[in-house]
């Protein structure tokens, strides 16, 4: 058993832990659902992937044991985390969760107003919000 | 309002295969490693629930035409029959055995009778979980 496996594994797991910490800080600091989901999905996925790759390499180098389950886990996390973030954001948008006030552009809104079968009151709410925004801009 | 999400549907088509493969791996790994019939059944039913969430209840029912009530009942029957089969060899109820067989593709393989019992548990767990979930998810007006 050589020490190199431990060094490689430790470095990768440390990088993964740092990325997870950055993701947690982003979750606290960022203002609305969409930016938070951006922080939570991307950097925590990378953090988990680094930790899993570190574990895989540690067992591969020091024990000579190649774990198929870790490969499967890496692939699975890589595939599911962005889709989960997408579904959460989509649900938030469809329930008219507002964007943060600093945001300058909402490109989805026009498409959404035209192509979705909205309830009448939801549409009225969206239009009302738009008028409100324009008024605040003029002021 | 019909819910269609291309991202979710496309990734589900890939993910269901991975989850199903993993659940069968867990089912057969249960003899020497962590795993077994119960956890394998739960993983399979989570794959089916993912299908139910992504697609329609009716669509999935057309693709997988399994009556989950009958699956649960069949699992119990399989488990009980594995137990009673030990009477044929004049040994106590639920006695298990194993042997080494030369299979054509797999080589020297250990076959244990406990796997058949686990298979019964697996079927029962899938049947029960899916019966609970489908019966609370549909609402007839």
């Amino acid at each position: 058993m050589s020490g190199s496996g431990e060094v490689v594994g430790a470095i990768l797991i440390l990088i993964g832990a740092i990325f997870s910490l950055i993701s947690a800080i982003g979750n606290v600091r960022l203002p609305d659902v969409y930016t938070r989901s951006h922080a939570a999905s991307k950097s925590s996925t990378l953090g988990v992937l680094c930790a899993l790759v570190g574990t895989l390499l540690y067992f591969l180098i020091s024990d000579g044991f190649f774990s198929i389950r870790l490969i499967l886990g890496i692939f699975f996390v890589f595939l599911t985390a962005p889709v989960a973030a997408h579904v959460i954001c989509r649900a938030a948008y469809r329930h008219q969760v507002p964007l943060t006030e600093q945001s300058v552009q909402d490109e989805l809104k026009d498409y959404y107003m035209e192509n979705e079968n909205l309830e009448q009151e939801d549409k009225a709410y969206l239009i009302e919000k738009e008028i409100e925004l324009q008024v605040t801009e003029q002021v | 309002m019909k819910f269609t999400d291309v991202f979710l549907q496309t990734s589900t088509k890939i993910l269901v295969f991975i989850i199903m493969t993993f659940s069968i791996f867990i089912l057969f790994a249960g003899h020497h490693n962590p795993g077994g019939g119960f956890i394998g059944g739960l993983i399979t039913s989570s794959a089916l629930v993912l299908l139910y969430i992504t697609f329609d209840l009716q669509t999935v029912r057309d693709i997988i035409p399994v009556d989950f009530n009958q699956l649960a009942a069949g699992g119990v029957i399989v488990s009980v029959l594995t137990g009673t089969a030990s009477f044929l060899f004049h040994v106590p109820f639920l006695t298990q055995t194993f042997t080494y067989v030369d299979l054509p593709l797999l080589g020297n393989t250990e076959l244990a009778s406990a796997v058949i019992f686990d298979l019964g548990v697996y079927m029962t767990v899938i049947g029960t979980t899916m019966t609970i979930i489908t019966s609370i998810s549909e609402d007839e007006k």
Side-chain angles (χ1 to χ4, degrees), chain A residues 52-88:
Chain A
L52 286 178
V53 171
T55 320
L56 181 79
L57 286 180
Y58 169 71
F59 280 111
L60 189 64
I61 294 171
S62 66
D63 291 357
F65 173 69
F66 186 77
S67 173
I68 287 292
R69 265 180 282 185
L70 277 172
I71 292 280
L72 210 63
I74 291 167
F75 184 63
F76 196 78
V77 170
F78 198 62
L79 207 61
T80 49
V83 176
H86 160 76
V87 171
I88 291 170

Side-chain angles (χ1 to χ4, degrees), chain B residues 4 8 10 38-39 42-43 62 73 85 88 102-103 106-107 136-137:
Chain B
T4 49
L8 190 60
T10 314
F38 185 77
I39 193 72
L42 283 182
I43 294 173
D62 291 340
L88 295 176
D102 256 334
L103 290 180
L106 299 167
I136 62 174
S137 65

Side-chain angles (χ1 to χ4, degrees), chain B residues 3-14:
Chain B
F3 174 79
T4 49
D5 190 337
V6 181
F7 283 113
L8 190 60
Q9 289 184 351
T10 314
S11 58
T12 298
K13 283 173 195 165
I14 302 166

